[in-house]
Amino acid sequence: MDVEIFGKIKDHDFQMAKLALETLCRENPGALKPNVYPLTDTDWIEFLQKKKNELRGESWGFKANVMTFVDGDIVGDGDDFMVWAKEKFGMVDFRPPPFYEAIAQQAYGQYLARENREIVYLDFSHDGRPLGRLIFELFKDKVPITVENFIKFVTSKDDKKFAGSIIHRIVKNGWIQGGDYISGSGGNSEAFDGGMFPDESFAVKHCKRGTIGMANDGCHTNGSQFYVTLGPAPWMDEKYVAFGYIIEGMSVLDTIEELETFNERPKRPLTIYSCGKLIDLVEN
């Protein structure tokens, strides 16, 4: 039997179903072909929408953060999978929910700490009121210089920092833009170590909503300004250096896109009031 489990990495029910499948495979060698897919929040949203289109009535009301299948047929959420495991193999699980919550937290921590990635957050306020958080996965294995420059601004405590700077541009169906920590006008973009730096690589593609990249004024003019796309933008692929994707906070991006603007500038200040590496928050 082919068994598939899709779910959010940090969801305890996903970890419960995953461990149950591992136990079944260990106790019933060769009986099951396991396929487990841990997803970020953003990837889960995309997956669920795709499945809703495929399955229609079977998943329209799906509210859980894990979905399981056997031989291509939907079983249901984590609890449904545990019922299936009991009926088919007599498996009974006595481990309490806090056990799976700890496993989920550990798995998420390991995801954040991967050596080839950086996970950062930007907290936004609108007209002085908290609006929400965007969390990005940055590809330092593909564009290490670009990511390092961004990380320096995100973690800086001196005058060169993104904390306190504004998003100065919102292009409907296009992108949002910020990073002018000098004046907020959009007319300044200087790398953390001064000057500008060249286009490092176009390996990260603008394939989906929530792509983060370096705004420029032509080839090899990367500084501090960045953008976040509001949809796929393949026309950007050979012109701008993308370096990551949103993994949590799409609803916040939705809200930002709908803010009132005048000449593409937010009518009321949209501010990055806090930012940093997410792993530092988790560890503290």
Side-chain angles (χ1 to χ4, degrees):
M1 286 183 284
D2 290 317
V3 180
E4 295 176 300
I5 298 176
F6 300 82
K8 291 184 181 182
I9 298 170
K10 60 181 182 180
D11 184 78
H12 59 88
D13 281 344
F14 169 71
Q15 297 297 333
M16 175 182 70
K18 175 177 175 289
L19 287 177
L21 179 56
E22 291 173 355
T23 300
L24 291 175
C25 290
R26 187 169 57 251
E27 295 180 351
N28 304 274
L32 303 172
K33 295 180 180 179
N35 293 282
V36 179
Y37 303 92
L39 305 174
T40 65
D41 282 19
T42 299
D43 289 339
W44 172 253
I45 293 171
E46 292 178 1
F47 163 79
L48 195 57
Q49 186 59 53
K50 179 181 177 181
K51 284 301 178 185
K52 283 182 176 180
N53 292 336
E54 290 178 1
L55 301 173
R56 298 187 182 278
E58 292 183 78
S59 65
W60 277 116
F62 204 83
K63 301 296 184 182
N65 292 319
V66 55
M67 187 180 286
T68 63
F69 299 83
V70 174
D71 290 334
D73 295 324
I74 186 169
V75 173
D77 60 17
D79 290 335
D80 294 327
F81 184 77
M82 299 305 287
V83 171
W84 175 86
K86 181 179 180 181
E87 292 176 349
K88 290 290 185 180
F89 296 94
M91 178 180 173
V92 178
D93 182 33
F94 296 101
R95 287 172 286 200
F99 171 81
Y100 293 113
E101 291 169 2
I103 293 296
Q105 185 176 7
Q106 181 184 45
Y108 190 53
Q110 291 172 345
Y111 178 82
L112 298 181
R114 290 173 302 160
E115 291 185 1
N116 62 344
R117 298 286 191 269
E118 290 281 7
I119 312 294
V120 301
Y121 68 92
L122 303 179
D123 289 333
F124 293 89
S125 65
H126 182 235
D127 200 23
R129 299 180 179 86
L131 188 149
R133 170 176 291 176
L134 297 181
I135 299 177
F136 298 88
E137 179 177 17
L138 309 183
F139 293 79
K140 68 178 182 181
D141 55 333
K142 296 181 178 180
V143 279
I145 296 172
T146 305
V147 169
E148 181 182 10
N149 177 70
F150 190 81
I151 290 291
K152 286 179 178 179
F153 282 114
V154 165
T155 58
S156 174
K157 302 301 181 184
D158 59 24
D159 292 338
K160 286 186 177 182
K161 60 183 179 181
F162 285 155
S165 68
I166 65 170
I167 298 298
H168 63 267
R169 192 179 185 192
I170 300 175
V171 181
K172 302 295 184 182
N173 300 313
W175 65 90
I176 67 171
Q177 189 169 332
D180 180 357
Y181 67 92
I182 298 173
S183 69
S185 67
N188 304 280
S189 186
E190 183 178 286
F192 191 87
D193 294 325
M196 297 179 178
F197 62 97
D199 299 332
E200 185 175 8
S201 169
F202 298 117
V204 181
K205 302 303 180 182
H206 299 77
C207 58
K208 57 185 176 179
R209 181 178 177 86
T211 302
I212 186 170
M214 297 301 301
N216 64 41
D217 192 28
C219 294
H220 308 307
T221 58
N222 301 286
S224 60
Q225 286 198 41
F226 64 92
Y227 57 82
V228 181
T229 65
L230 299 174
W235 63 272
M236 287 182 159
D237 283 346
E238 301 300 323
K239 296 181 179 180
Y240 301 93
V241 177
F243 57 96
Y245 301 113
I246 290 178
I247 59 172
E248 289 184 35
M250 276 300 183
S251 62
V252 176
L253 188 63
D254 294 343
T255 300
I256 290 174
E257 184 176 11
E258 295 304 317
L259 294 178
E260 285 189 287
T261 60
F262 180 74
N263 289 335
E264 299 183 341
R265 190 175 184 86
K267 285 188 175 181
R268 295 181 176 85
L270 176 59
T271 306
I272 301 171
Y273 73 84
S274 180
C275 53
K277 290 185 178 183
L278 192 63
I279 190 68
D280 294 336
L281 289 183
V282 173
E283 290 178 346
N284 293 331

